[in-house]
Amino acid sequence: LVRAEADSVVVVGGAVLDTKVRTATAPVLRTSNPGTASWTAGGVGRNIAENLARLGSPTLLVAAVGDDPAAETVLARTSAAGVECRHVVTSVHPTGTYAAVLDEGGDLLVAVADMRATDELTVSDLAVVPSLLGGADALVVDANLDAGVVRWLLSVAEEAGVVAVLEPVSVAKATE
């Protein structure tokens, strides 16, 4: 995907705010625990877009975020990494979040994912994609999107003669 003469890569997928909290000692359930917290920009599509941009490939991200401070954080960090974010759409849902609670050893205790903004992206939300593919060498699709949307994106890439890469995210999603 990454060539010196590459025009651009269009990435369609999730853009979320990842939150990780870690207890300082063995966790005690049903009470407050001392610990640390961190926030990073995340999401499968957004992560791929950032990595491509950092490798020198002009990259455009098409994703959905809410009208909220989390979106400002995610988009600022993504743009700072060199990703073009002007085609990100604003969802009626909050910016996706993934919140993980880790124990003192770093093992996952529980996580909660609110991905409604990404889950509810529609073909009409992504109407700009065919025009973006005119100058692109590749389309990368995050399989967290609705299966019908994924099929539409792959057909649009085929019509445009653009290589399409599907990131299956997980074994479960790869079989859909």
Side-chain angles (χ1 to χ4, degrees):
L1 285 179
V2 182
R3 304 189 317 254
E5 70 276 15
D7 289 333
S8 65
V9 177
V10 176
V11 180
V12 181
V16 307
L17 186 64
D18 290 340
T19 303
K20 290 183 184 174
V21 294
R22 184 173 176 167
T23 61
T25 59
V28 178
L29 298 180
R30 295 179 180 80
T31 189
S32 179
N33 288 265
T36 59
S38 65
W39 298 268
T40 59
V44 172
R46 195 220 66 85
N47 290 348
I48 291 168
E50 178 175 332
N51 286 318
L52 287 169
R54 289 188 184 280
L55 288 169
S57 180
T59 306
L60 295 88
L61 176 64
V62 182
V65 296
D67 182 14
D68 52 35
E72 294 171 18
T73 299
V74 169
L75 295 178
R77 292 180 182 179
T78 305
S79 294
V83 177
E84 173 58 61
C85 294
R86 71 179 157 189
H87 300 291
V88 169
V89 299
T90 303
S91 173
V92 297
H93 299 291
T95 299
T97 56
Y98 174 80
V101 179
L102 311 175
D103 67 15
E104 77 283 7
D107 291 323
L108 180 67
L109 294 172
V110 66
V112 177
D114 178 356
M115 303 297 175
R116 290 173 291 168
T118 300
D119 291 343
E120 297 192 17
L121 264 173
T122 66
V123 168
S124 62
D125 293 327
L126 303 174
V128 70
V129 172
S131 65
L132 297 176
L133 294 179
D137 283 342
L139 170 68
V140 178
V141 180
D142 170 351
N144 279 313
L145 300 172
D146 173 80
V149 170
V150 169
R151 283 191 285 278
W152 177 78
L153 287 166
L154 296 176
S155 70
V156 167
E158 183 177 23
E159 289 171 18
V162 173
V163 172
V165 177
L166 179 64
E167 171 52 59
V169 183
S170 68
V171 172
K173 295 220 178 208
T175 60
E176 288 183 12

